[in-house]
Structure formats: structure tokens, C-alpha cells
Amino acid sequence: MQHGKRGPAFYFLGAFFVLFVLFLYGPTLTILVLSFQGPTGGLTFPMVGVSTYWFTNLFERQMVGDFAGSFQRSMILGVLSMLVTVAASFAAGLAFRARFRGSAVIFYLAIASLIVPSILISLGIGLLFRVLGWDPTWYTSAFGAHLTWTLPFGLLIMFAVFNRFDRRYEEAARDLGATSWQTIRHVVIPILLPSLIGVGLFGFTLSYDEFARSLYTAGTFNTLPLEIYGMTTNVTTPVLYALGTVTTGVSFLVIGVALGAVILVQRRRARHGSDAGKAA
Amino acid sequence: MKRFSVWITYLQVAPLALVFLLFLVVPILTIVIVSFFDYTTTQIIPAFILQNYEELLFSETTWKTYLQTLEFTAIAWALTLVIGFTVAYFVAFHVRSPTMQTVLFLLCTIPFWTSNVIRMISWIPFLGRNGLANSTLMSMGLINQPLEFLLYSNFSVVLVYVHLYTLFMVVPIFNSMMRIDRSLLEAARDAGATGWQTLINVILPLCKPGIAIGSIFIVTIVMGDFVTVRMMSGGLSASVGLMMANAMSLLQYPAAAANAVVLLLVVLLVVAAMLRLVDIRKEL
């Protein structure tokens, strides 16, 4: 299987893989094309000319709902989720290397947070705020709801990362007289930087795209996915696709920046050796 | 010194624990408590009554909806398993260069980081009455009028489940496959096994943990789903999530809460059954 000539199985599976990738990306590419539909064009092919009409439409008029506001809220929420997810998962990852009472409980809570259906968490937080007489808002209840989705991913990634982390680097740092904080700041963080960027990517994108957990927690002001969902029921022009293209564009930009940063860190390492400890 | 470092450990894990406590444990307890409350058309009244559960469990609609949801789950699970396994198998065992493996793996995972709602919308120009699928089939002369079942049907719901969630199978199965010691495959070949026999008797059993983790994801996501069903069925299909959302929009919070408790129990039972097959903590 690993050696010699490619058999028919390879070509069959290869074709299957190509079809799967087409299946994954095809629809998104379709709306990318259709978002450049001419001003008189409709929701499906044929294209009636090519224009950026629907994009200007998206940014100009307020008739399509509060795109700018919801976009801004989702960006802020995404960045907040990213920062908290990276910090809290990294700290918890450090903690889980030691044995402590309650570690199993917290681990199972993280798993539960992943497998309890999103809509139940949304419903629960919404009910909780209602019972307490608080108003749900996107930066309190929805923020917490998003963290219950991003943190388990962050924690599990940190587990995997620390399982492969060589503790001798830390011992070496300690032997050289570094304090615990210096060891973390100048040894552990630089070595784990690519993984931390990965956790950040999860934190941002999972929050930015989250729908179900925002549903009963966002309160008066919609986040972007809620706004888009609202639009699907009453907007029947390609402006919907323009919105899809812009949102997906933002996601790709974030993914691109994260992957680029990881590659950059690894290149630097290949050139200089590990830069752990070199930072002033 | 020892005691001091224990405090540091607790301090490090505190933010995470606090989030789970405030936004997972307390809300779930709230659901359980509210599920026993009474309600009128305008408000919920603290009480301890079983009426919400009685109304739920003695209604035929509930049973039909749960069956429908389980049916969606079973179909989505089977399809994502077969497709996910095949894709992971190709990348893990038929692609030879590690760089290429990483690139292809990333290619499969990137859509995960984009919006689900947008990915659902993007099927509309494909499946609609005048969509790409119908116009292609018609121009090829295979059909002479548009197929109506493509969009806003159970078909489109399942299609979107497969589209959105196959990745949850690919990743853990691929992870399991990459840990398989390649010398085992060589041993199987030396012992005279065909590629197919190696797949069934060596690779498949060793992928069980990955399959279990992927299955847990699929089951919990599809069981709790309501956006996909609402958007892709055009209101024609039901799901438990949708039933809850409808109760919520009628302000029948205790009814929605009782349904949520039942759903949670069903999901946990299924997951517990799957967890018997795998120790998740060993898989990281």
C-alpha cells in the first residue's frame, strides 16, 4: 500500500476525495459567483451581467437590516472570545499537568459542554437571565454561551499539546535560575506559540459563526449569524449572497492570517533554531 | 511551598471552571427547575407540577418528532461515517508525502471555520426549482421537469447535515489512523492479507476510538439541531429542537424546558453507550 505503483484503489479513492472537496466548496463558490450578479439578476443562474451592485447595496442601505452593527458586534465578540479562550485554556492546560482534586470533574464538564446540544445551553442561559430578571445582551450572556463552545476545544487542544511538550525545557530554564513566570514567558509560550495561535483561531471563528448559542442569549441586538438568518426569511435578492461572500471572506482572512503566522513562526525557528529564551 | 503551588494550580484552572459553572451547570439546573414551573400566556409561575412532562410525553406529536429526529440522526450518522472514513483513509494511507497530507487535511477542515448559516444558504442556487442541479439535469435530457424534492425537503436537510458535519468524522478518524503503527500493516501484508482484509481486520478496529468520537459529535449536533431543519425543510419537517424553539416563541418556557430535559436525557443515553467503547482522555 505504501510502496510500489498506485493501484486502482488509489485512483478510486482519489476521485472520491476530489468529489468530496467539490461538495465542500462548490456551493460556497456558487454564491461567490452569484454575489457579482448584475442589478437585475436573481437568486439563481443565469448571470445577468456582472457588477458589484449588491455589495454597495449591502453597505449603503439600511433596508437589509443592521449589517454594519451586527458585523461590528460579532467581530468584538469574536476577539473577546479568542483572548479569553487562549488565556483560560492555556492556564488550565498548565494546571492539568499537576494532579489536583476536582480535575476529573472539570474535565467531564468540558466534555459535557461540547456534547450538550447548543440549543439547550442557549435556552438555559436565556431562562436563567429571565428568571433573575436580567436582560440578556451579546456581551454578557451570549459571550458566556460562546465560551462554553470555544473553551472545550481550547482545553482539548492544550491537552494534546502538553502531552507532546518536553518538560526538560522547563527544567533547564529553572536550572539556569529562571522563576516560574520567566519560564512560562520565555520558554513555554514561545515553544507553544503555533498551538496558541491555533487555539485563538478556534476561539475567534467558532464565536464569530455561532448561531444556536446566540439565539436566546443575544438579547435586543443581533450578532451577524442571527442577522443573516433573519435576512434569509425576508430578503430575496442577491444581496444575501453578497453578505455571504463578505462573511466568508472575513473567515478566510482570519484563517489565512492564523496559518500564515504559524508558518512564519516555524520558518523563523528553522532559520534560528528555537527562539525560546532569546526574547529579552 | 507545596501548598502554594496547589493554590497556583487552582488559580490557573479557575477561569475555565467558572465559565462552565456559570454558563453550563447553572443554566442546565435552571432548565430542570423551570421544567416543573407552571405558566400562563404571559408569565411563568414558580411551582412544582408534572404537567409539562405529562403534556409532552402523552402527545403523539412528541413521539413522532423524536422519531423523525432519530431518523435524521441515524441517516446523517451512517452517511458521515462512510464518507468521513473514506476521505480520512485516502489521506492517511494513500497520500505519501506528509506535507501533502497536511495540505489535504487542512483543505477538509477550512470550511469548519466558516459560517454554517452561509453554507446552508449557498445550497439554494444549487437545489432550487431553477437551480444548477435541475437545469443541468434538464439540459442533459435526464428529466423534463424540475425535481421538486431537491430543496425544502428531508433530502436537503440530510444533504446539509452531511455537508456541514462530515468533518466531525474526518478529523477524529484521521487522528486515529495516523497513530496506527505502519509496521502492523506490513505484518498484515506479509501474512498474506489483501488490502481489503487489512482494512477490515486491522485498520477498522484500530479506528474505533476515532469513530466513536466522531459519532458522538454527529449524534449530539443533529439531535439538537433546529436551524438546518427550519431553513432546509422550509417548515415541512419537524425536529425536537424546532419543537422547543416553537414553544419558546409562544413564551411557553416551562414546556420548552421539559422538552429540553427529555432531549438531554436521550442524548446523554446515546453518548454514554458510545463512551463505553472509548476512553476519550487517552485519545489526546
Side-chain angles (χ1 to χ4, degrees):
Chain A
M1 195 177 303
Q2 293 282 308
H3 310 281
K5 280 180 78 175
R6 305 286 203 191
F10 172 80
Y11 293 102
F12 175 77
L13 291 168
F16 188 89
F17 184 83
V18 171
L19 280 179
F20 177 70
V21 170
L22 279 178
F23 171 68
L24 273 188
Y25 288 87
T28 312
L29 291 177
T30 314
I31 65 158
L32 172 71
V33 174
L34 280 171
S35 61
F36 291 96
Q37 180 75 283
T40 53
L43 279 173
T44 50
F45 288 102
M47 296 285 282
V48 186
V50 174
S51 75
T52 52
Y53 175 80
W54 301 107
F55 287 95
T56 28
N57 192 292
L58 179 65
F59 287 103
E60 266 174 7
R61 284 209 318 240
Q62 286 302 307
M63 265 184 65
V64 294
D66 186 16
F67 167 68
S70 58
F71 178 68
Q72 195 185 13
R73 285 187 282 275
S74 275
M75 287 299 273
I76 296 172
L77 194 53
V79 170
L80 286 177
S81 302
M82 176 181 81
L83 295 176
V84 173
T85 305
V86 172
S89 331
F90 176 67
L94 286 172
F96 267 91
R97 299 194 300 172
R99 283 168 171 271
F100 63 94
R101 280 169 67 97
S103 65
V105 174
I106 295 176
F107 175 75
Y108 284 113
L109 278 181
I111 299 295
S113 198
L114 272 185
I115 65 177
V116 170
S118 301
I119 189 166
L120 295 189
I121 294 192
S122 194
L123 181 79
I125 297 176
L127 280 179
L128 176 67
F129 272 58
R130 178 164 294 274
V131 169
L132 294 174
W134 299 345
D135 284 328
T137 61
W138 60 273
Y139 49 84
T140 53
S141 41
F143 183 33
H146 286 197
L147 288 177
T148 62
W149 183 229
T150 58
L151 282 179
F153 279 101
L155 183 68
L156 293 183
I157 294 172
M158 287 326 295
F159 275 177
V161 166
F162 276 119
N163 276 349
R164 290 162 179 75
F165 181 72
D166 190 343
R167 292 196 78 157
R168 281 175 298 183
Y169 289 119
E170 281 172 282
E171 282 157 26
R174 254 198 311 277
D175 290 347
L176 291 170
T179 62
S180 324
W181 170 246
Q182 283 172 326
T183 311
I184 289 178
R185 167 68 186 82
H186 298 300
V187 178
V188 181
I189 290 180
I191 291 177
L192 297 186
L193 194 57
S195 311
L196 293 176
I197 295 172
V199 172
L201 175 64
F202 271 85
F204 181 84
T205 57
L206 293 185
S207 160
Y208 175 73
D209 297 324
E210 181 55 39
F211 176 83
R213 281 173 205 244
S214 314
L215 191 60
Y216 299 120
T217 58
T220 323
F221 295 104
N222 278 347
T223 61
L224 189 58
L226 293 175
E227 193 70 33
I228 296 169
Y229 176 73
M231 281 175 65
T232 57
T233 51
N234 54 33
V235 175
T236 49
T237 58
V239 77
L240 194 59
Y241 299 152
L243 179 54
T245 301
V246 171
T247 329
T248 312
V250 170
S251 295
F252 271 91
L253 194 72
V254 172
I255 299 167
V257 168
L259 293 181
V262 169
I263 291 171
L264 204 73
V265 170
Q266 279 167 349
R267 282 241 177 97
R268 260 186 65 179
R269 249 179 226 179
R271 238 183 303 132
H272 301 294
S274 171
D275 60 357
K278 282 193 181 165
Chain B
M1 185 63 200
K2 187 76 189 156
R3 180 160 294 169
F4 177 69
S5 77
V6 167
W7 277 109
I8 294 270
T9 301
Y10 280 118
L11 215 60
Q12 283 168 335
V13 84
L16 185 93
L18 209 64
V19 168
F20 289 146
L21 184 72
L22 292 180
F23 294 102
L24 177 72
V25 178
V26 176
I28 298 285
L29 290 178
T30 311
I31 293 182
V32 175
I33 293 168
V34 171
S35 73
F36 294 105
F37 279 12
D38 201 355
Y39 62 95
T40 65
T41 45
T42 50
Q43 58 176 340
I44 50 179
I45 306 151
F48 185 84
I49 54 166
L50 293 173
Q51 202 186 338
N52 300 313
Y53 288 98
E54 282 164 14
E55 278 171 8
L56 184 74
L57 297 175
F58 291 116
S59 141
E60 203 185 327
T61 323
T62 310
W63 290 88
K64 272 193 189 151
T65 310
Y66 269 84
L67 269 182
Q68 164 96 73
T69 304
L70 285 171
E71 190 187 322
F72 275 139
T73 309
I75 297 172
W77 174 76
L79 288 172
T80 52
L81 174 60
V82 171
I83 296 170
F85 188 90
T86 313
V87 166
Y89 177 73
F90 173 74
V91 180
F93 293 112
H94 282 271
V95 175
R96 289 169 187 174
S97 109
T99 316
M100 199 59 190
Q101 278 181 332
T102 312
V103 169
L104 294 185
F105 179 74
L106 271 178
L107 197 64
C108 292
T109 39
I110 281 172
F112 172 69
W113 290 311
T114 65
S115 165
N116 279 355
V117 177
I118 297 294
R119 289 172 72 202
M120 281 179 220
I121 295 170
S122 54
W123 279 103
I124 295 172
F126 233 86
L127 299 175
R129 206 167 184 285
N130 305 311
L132 273 182
N134 271 325
S135 53
T136 312
L137 288 173
M138 290 205 346
S139 67
M140 282 164 71
L142 288 173
I143 51 173
N144 40 29
Q145 40 175 289
L147 299 173
E148 298 282 355
F149 74 87
L150 290 180
L151 189 60
Y152 303 132
S153 61
N154 287 352
F155 170 80
S156 51
V157 172
V158 171
L159 183 83
V160 166
Y161 282 146
V162 173
H163 183 230
L164 294 180
Y165 305 131
T166 300
L167 178 83
F168 283 99
M169 281 289 191
V170 174
V171 174
I173 295 177
F174 180 74
N175 183 38
S176 287
M177 284 177 173
M178 293 307 279
R179 289 155 161 237
I180 295 176
D181 188 342
R182 303 292 141 140
S183 53
L184 288 178
L185 308 182
E186 224 165 285
R189 205 173 37 240
D190 291 347
T194 62
W196 182 253
Q197 283 171 325
T198 312
L199 174 65
I200 299 295
N201 298 315
V202 181
I203 297 175
L204 195 60
L206 289 171
C207 287
K208 249 193 212 159
I211 292 173
I213 293 176
S215 306
I216 290 171
F217 270 113
I218 302 288
V219 166
T220 55
I221 290 173
V222 176
M223 292 279 307
D225 171 75
F226 97 102
V227 201
T228 311
V229 172
R230 181 177 278 177
M231 272 182 71
M232 299 315 291
S233 83
L236 297 174
S237 310
S239 83
V240 179
L242 201 53
M243 204 176 151
M244 275 165 40
N246 289 339
M248 285 292 279
S249 62
L250 295 171
L251 305 180
Q252 300 170 344
Y253 300 111
N259 204 347
V261 172
V262 174
L263 176 66
L264 187 60
L265 289 178
V266 174
V267 169
L268 289 182
L269 273 178
V270 177
V271 171
M274 286 173 172
L275 278 179
R276 294 188 73 112
L277 299 173
V278 50
D279 179 357
I280 288 193
R281 226 175 152 171
K282 262 200 224 144
E283 292 312 308
L284 298 165

